[in-house]
Amino acid sequence: MSRSTSTDGAKPKVLLIGFLDTKEAEYAFVKDLLEAKGCEVFLIDASLQTDTALSKHAAHPPSAVCCAAGTSLSHLRTLPRAAALEHITAGATSIALSYQVRGSLHGALAMGGSTTTALACAVLRALRVGLPKLCVSTMASGDVSHYVGDSDICMMPSIADISGSMNVLSARILTNAAAALAGMARAYKDQPTPALGDAKHMVAVTMFGLTTLGVTVACERLRSFTDASGRRLYEPVVFHCTGAGGRTMERLVEEKWFHAVLDLTTTELADEQCGGILSAGPTRLTAPGNAGIPHVVSLGALDMCNFGPRSTVPEKYAARTLHEHNPSITLLRTSADECAAIGRTMADRLSVGHGPLAVVIPKHGWSGIDIAGGPFWDPDADRALVEELKKGLKEKGRAVEVIEVDKHVNDRDAAWVMADKLHELVGKWERSGGGA
């Protein structure tokens, strides 16, 4: 799908975001490098303490960042640090988004420790997926999931601290970072959305390891559809349902990347219900309905909740059916009560919104281990989810077609039913003007 790009001059426009009062030397160094590589650089200085020589020449000095947040620097200096950072982050985010809205932003970079990383990544997460984003951080070698979230931020270890003084090692790392950002920004400016072929519609598809067979067949089926001229109709993009995967898919639907969603795998709802490690949060299943695009939903891997190694499984589940998927993942079989609750949640979320919607229910299992003779085969638990889902959808009143297939989720026939139904819904959606 198209993305706006700047036409005012040949230089890529990039943001440098951070605290110049404690890291002026590094920011001056990288600014010079980016400009030498043909970039136009705009500094967003989020400093709360003192002005610097570089700050006085910044496109957005601290006073301007505070103004964008609806406050003043003198006021922020009276607040507790956490509160002040919340305001300055909001201001920096507002400024960054203003560049994006104007179509005059091709990349963003930040450097620092934990505070800079928290502030800068909050700003970077607000920018659209695909726009180059790089954070050089002392925190980059640890768990960065809370910094990256559902975005595509590139995290680069700084090796040495970003502390306001340059050294040979820092110079090497920051030179690499500047070169990377400059190259990505140039590529983004020249081609904000690379050509991916001639498919007419982008389709988001959800997958888990234990639904891969069904997803593969469904994607092959979608790729087989063409229009009268022979043009391929669908380009499937598969998302791994790891929590972040589901959130990212929903975010990209909101950003209008996709024309339709084949939600074959909804396993993240089980983790939300049971406290697993792969929950996608309370907005999962909502974006397609809010966007009004065709949405086919199934029950892939709702028979399981994910935990880490066996030793990490909560004690309350010790006597339950567990399956060690690999040394890092232990699966919990969802019970009838948990499945019923998941069914109600699905009905509640799917009933809100508009757009063509169908639910496909495979009657012979929802994952590679929820199959007759498999470790998670439990027809009673599966039935509890289906009954509550159907009951809830009927009570809520939204027009939803429910299709029950006498197959397993990974069977070819079930995958074809889902792909064919999505194709049908897209056609109706287009004829009604939804794809205009």
Side-chain angles (χ1 to χ4, degrees):
M1 303 182 75
S2 63
R3 287 286 177 269
S4 61
T5 184
S6 174
T7 57
D8 53 343
K11 291 184 176 182
K13 294 175 169 56
V14 301
L15 296 178
L16 270 180
I17 308 162
F19 299 102
L20 301 189
D21 56 356
T22 58
K23 301 162 192 352
E24 182 179 24
E26 290 93 345
Y27 275 82
F29 181 78
V30 170
K31 179 176 183 292
D32 288 345
L33 287 173
L34 288 169
E35 290 175 342
K37 293 181 180 299
C39 296
E40 188 173 359
V41 182
F42 300 90
L43 276 167
I44 298 179
D45 184 6
S47 302
L48 291 170
Q49 301 305 318
T50 59
D51 291 333
T52 67
L54 184 59
S55 177
K56 293 175 183 177
H57 299 287
H60 305 282
S63 59
V65 180
C66 292
C67 183
T71 186
S72 68
L73 186 57
S74 59
H75 174 64
L76 291 195
R77 287 174 174 168
T78 68
L79 298 178
R81 180 176 173 81
L85 287 171
E86 184 176 342
H87 286 289
I88 205 79
T89 300
T93 302
S94 176
I95 291 169
L97 288 173
S98 71
Y99 280 89
Q100 178 173 274
V101 168
R102 295 195 302 269
S104 57
L105 181 61
H106 308 107
L109 186 150
M111 304 169 285
S114 61
T115 301
T116 299
T117 304
L119 176 141
C121 285
V123 177
L124 298 179
R125 286 194 303 272
L127 300 174
R128 69 167 59 100
V129 170
L131 182 94
K133 314 167 191 70
L134 177 59
C135 183
V136 183
S137 172
T138 61
M139 310 299 289
S141 61
D143 179 4
V144 298
S145 59
H146 56 296
Y147 295 126
V148 175
D150 58 4
S151 185
D152 57 341
I153 301 168
C154 297
M155 299 294 292
M156 182 175 181
S158 65
I159 306 301
D161 196 10
I162 307 291
S163 57
S165 61
M166 290 298 300
N167 57 71
V168 173
L169 184 55
S170 291
R172 179 68 269 166
I173 300 300
L174 296 182
T175 297
N176 292 345
L181 196 278
M184 289 191 289
R186 173 68 66 182
Y188 185 82
K189 183 182 186 302
D190 293 344
Q191 193 175 23
T193 301
L196 292 175
D198 60 355
K200 184 177 182 181
H201 298 300
M202 294 276 282
V203 179
V205 184
T206 51
M207 182 273 293
F208 210 49
L210 290 166
T211 63
T212 299
L213 293 176
V215 170
T216 299
V217 172
C219 288
E220 289 173 350
R221 180 66 169 171
L222 287 173
R223 293 189 187 99
S224 73
F225 291 114
T226 59
D227 63 15
S229 67
R231 178 187 182 187
R232 190 160 54 90
L233 289 178
Y234 304 109
E235 177 72 31
V237 179
V238 177
F239 292 85
H240 194 190
C241 291
T242 57
R247 288 192 300 273
T248 300
M249 183 274 287
E250 303 257 341
R251 170 183 175 159
L252 291 177
V253 169
E254 293 172 357
E255 292 185 3
K256 303 187 186 306
W257 279 83
F258 294 105
H259 300 103
V261 177
L262 177 52
D263 223 340
L264 186 150
T265 309
T266 44
T267 185
E268 290 152 319
L269 296 172
D271 282 67
E272 182 186 351
Q273 175 64 39
C274 301
I277 61 174
L278 301 184
S279 168
T283 61
R284 183 69 172 90
L285 280 187
T286 61
N290 291 336
I293 62 175
H295 190 193
V296 171
V297 180
S298 193
L299 311 179
L302 280 173
D303 55 299
M304 63 186 64
C305 169
N306 295 263
F307 293 100
R310 184 73 174 249
S311 61
T312 69
V313 177
E315 181 63 28
K316 65 180 179 179
Y317 296 133
R320 294 274 296 277
T321 300
L322 300 171
H323 177 76
E324 293 189 43
H325 183 60
N326 60 45
S328 299
I329 295 292
T330 305
L331 304 175
L332 166 75
R333 208 315 171 181
T334 44
S335 68
D337 287 344
E338 290 158 353
C339 282
I342 294 167
R344 291 190 291 271
T345 296
M346 294 184 74
D348 288 343
R349 294 180 189 175
L350 292 175
S351 66
V352 178
H354 59 289
L357 172 64
V359 175
V360 177
I361 299 173
K363 297 175 69 175
H364 292 282
W366 305 335
S367 80
I369 56 176
D370 179 23
I371 192 167
F376 277 13
W377 179 241
D378 188 345
D380 291 337
D382 290 355
R383 188 179 306 110
L385 191 153
V386 172
E387 289 176 353
E388 289 298 321
L389 173 59
K390 291 165 67 176
K391 176 183 175 183
L393 289 174
K394 184 176 181 180
E395 291 175 348
K396 299 295 180 179
R398 183 182 175 191
V400 181
E401 183 178 5
V402 177
I403 304 167
E404 296 192 67
V405 184
D406 202 25
K407 297 289 182 179
H408 186 269
V409 71
N410 283 329
D411 284 347
R412 190 202 71 163
D413 290 350
W416 276 33
V417 166
M418 296 180 214
D420 290 357
K421 176 51 63 174
L422 189 72
H423 177 53
E424 176 188 325
L425 294 183
V426 170
K428 292 179 179 178
W429 176 68
E430 283 191 299
R431 290 191 292 275
S432 68

